[in-house]
Amino acid sequence: MTAPHEIDVVVYGATGFVGRLTAKYLAEHLPPTVTVGLAGRSRSRLEAVRAELGPVATTWPLLVADAGDPDSLAALAARARVVISTVGPYAKFGLPLVQACAEAGTDYVDLTGEVLFHRESIDRFDDLARSTGARIVHSCGFDSVPSDLGVHALHRAADEDGAGPLTETTFVLSALRGGVSGGTVDSLRTQIDVVRRDRAARRLAASPYSLSPDRDGEPDLGAQSDVVMVDGRSIAPELTGWKAPFVMASYNTRVVRRSNALTGWSYGRRFRYREVMSVGSSFASPVFAAIVAGGLGALVAGLGFAPTRFVLDKVLPAPGEGPSKKTREHGHFAVDVFTTTESGARYTARFAAQGDPGYKATAVMLAESALSLATGGGALHAGGGVLTPAVAFGDVLTRRLREAGFDIEVRRLP
């Protein structure tokens, strides 16, 4: 019998697509002093996954646990120092495990991109996690590590230069190649179902400060739309072409604003944040941007209307599905975040990596987030609570990702 909290990192959902990728990364990059366990509903399937990971995983303990069995989740949380959860949609399956970790004082990371789940986690378990010291860190993959750590890096650079707080800040997805995540699509379906029938949830999801610890204390900065088409030159003189709305902006922007609020609005009280994506720099870029905006609107509308949802469900990837190994290996992404400080200084941060962003790169970010908690010690955020990647990990995760091959750099612009 393993003693309480003796296993450093447990991958919950290890038999799923992203869970297997995360376990594989850990098996290949595990520090010699860190222990790992695999958790899921089926012991036989866990044994099959462990066998695929090679000799290093031979002695990894297997923990049978299910979202519908609170006792099994409590037993899992009691044995782990850090739990990685890849079991979504989190609104359906995530809260019991968050509760178990908050009660046990166990650190927790996941991949959610669901505003309403994240908000409920804060409302129900933030105080509890603070009291036990559990660090509950949502959104430790492509959503929302590049966004959150990119802005954190800009803030650090401006602060070190004495350039003042950040003001207008824009994330630009400059390059992207990869597959579509079935889990992300299923999370979108789940949230659409909730907001269709619940007016209060609809208002909460639409609020730019829906994840803030103190929504009444947020500054009044006027309208902050998530569906924006902008001329690149309005972001930075160096940018050409119009930029289209980014599909995950409605989630990532709220995570970044929560980071600002959790740190006493350290980015600035005039900090405004938005996310867009490049569609090229040709004369036709406004047309392409409009097509993307219209397509995103049509997708959301289609998933909210039964006849078109039936058709879309036939063609969109299902939960648990993912791209081929070739697609995962040949994928890549690059994000450039631009800001201007109150003194007029301009900075840009680049956050880029090889590998499909929603799968291979996400598995690296998720695993390194857990390893940050397991090995980061006093360099990490000292207290518990429902935190963001920037607040929980900050420079520790930035350093680990650089060592894993990510390109993360900041430079001051003329």
Side-chain angles (χ1 to χ4, degrees):
M1 179 69 179
T2 304
H5 296 297
E6 185 174 324
I7 309 172
D8 293 316
V9 177
V10 171
V11 182
Y12 175 63
T15 61
F17 199 92
V18 178
R20 293 163 84 107
L21 292 177
T22 305
K24 182 175 185 293
Y25 179 83
L26 287 169
E28 294 173 351
H29 299 88
L30 193 66
T33 59
V34 176
T35 56
V36 174
L38 305 176
R41 292 182 296 176
S42 166
R43 185 174 185 84
S44 62
R45 292 181 65 192
L46 289 171
E47 289 173 345
V49 170
R50 184 173 62 180
E52 295 171 358
L53 299 177
V56 70
T58 302
T59 60
W60 286 8
L62 305 179
L63 295 81
V64 177
D66 184 87
D69 181 357
D71 290 340
S72 69
L73 297 180
L76 164 62
R79 296 181 67 183
R81 288 181 58 201
V82 185
V83 172
I84 298 174
S85 176
T86 64
V87 179
Y90 292 92
K92 291 182 179 178
F93 305 115
L95 287 169
L97 181 57
V98 174
Q99 179 175 354
C101 289
E103 289 175 343
T106 298
D107 293 337
Y108 164 101
V109 296
D110 70 21
L111 295 172
T112 189
E114 304 165 43
V115 170
L116 298 178
F117 162 78
H118 197 156
R119 182 71 249 176
E120 188 170 0
S121 173
I122 294 165
D123 291 342
R124 292 179 57 182
F125 305 123
D126 184 57
D127 287 343
L128 175 61
R130 287 173 184 270
S131 71
T132 63
R135 290 168 291 199
I136 308 297
V137 195
H138 299 302
S139 314
C140 295
F142 187 56
D143 306 310
S144 302
V145 167
S147 308
D148 213 27
L149 288 192
V151 175
H152 168 78
L154 291 173
H155 162 65
R156 286 296 303 269
D159 189 55
E160 289 172 1
D161 289 350
L166 312 185
T167 60
E168 297 292 336
T169 304
T170 304
F171 162 117
V172 180
L173 181 61
S174 302
L176 176 71
R177 180 179 181 181
V180 178
S181 166
T184 297
V185 173
D186 202 35
S187 294
L188 178 60
R189 290 188 190 99
T190 300
Q191 181 150 303
I192 288 172
D193 289 344
V194 173
V195 300
R196 269 190 351 186
R197 61 177 181 263
D198 188 329
R199 183 177 298 178
R202 188 159 59 247
R203 287 197 301 268
L204 177 62
S207 167
Y209 298 117
S210 54
L211 299 181
S212 174
D214 181 9
R215 294 198 294 278
D216 292 337
E218 293 284 358
D220 183 5
L221 299 174
Q224 298 185 71
S225 175
D226 299 313
V227 183
V228 291
M229 288 174 46
V230 296
D231 186 341
R233 289 168 296 185
S234 71
I235 300 170
E238 301 85 356
L239 287 184
T240 57
W242 280 72
K243 310 305 172 188
F246 177 46
V247 64
M248 290 307 298
S250 62
Y251 183 73
N252 293 335
T253 54
R254 286 148 178 77
V255 172
V256 172
R257 293 184 191 117
R258 178 169 175 80
S259 294
N260 190 29
L262 284 175
T263 56
W265 293 278
S266 63
Y267 299 166
R269 299 288 295 184
R270 293 168 54 196
F271 172 74
R272 288 170 58 93
Y273 182 68
R274 61 187 176 179
E275 295 194 349
V276 295
M277 62 181 289
S278 175
V279 290
S281 57
S282 73
F283 69 92
S285 61
V287 176
F288 297 148
I291 290 172
V292 171
L296 290 176
L299 174 63
V300 172
L303 288 173
F305 183 55
T308 50
R309 180 167 179 162
F310 177 80
V311 175
L312 287 170
D313 284 347
K314 297 294 185 182
V315 298
L316 291 170
E321 292 182 359
S324 67
K325 181 178 180 180
K326 180 179 179 180
T327 298
R328 297 197 307 270
E329 295 296 327
H330 288 83
H332 60 85
F333 74 90
V335 168
D336 294 293
V337 191
F338 297 84
T339 195
T340 302
T341 72
E342 288 186 5
S343 70
R346 297 193 307 123
Y347 294 83
T348 183
R350 167 148 284 218
F351 195 110
Q354 293 297 310
D356 180 281
Y359 291 94
K360 183 177 179 180
T362 277
V364 177
M365 288 184 271
L366 182 61
E368 292 293 352
S369 294
L371 291 174
S372 295
L373 289 170
T375 65
L380 296 172
H381 181 81
V386 179
L387 308 173
T388 61
V391 173
F393 313 127
D395 296 337
V396 172
L397 181 56
T398 299
R399 173 182 56 79
R400 295 192 67 92
L401 291 176
R402 283 177 176 148
E403 292 172 353
F406 280 52
D407 178 15
I408 307 173
E409 60 181 38
V410 181
R411 59 190 177 93
R412 187 165 180 166
L413 297 170

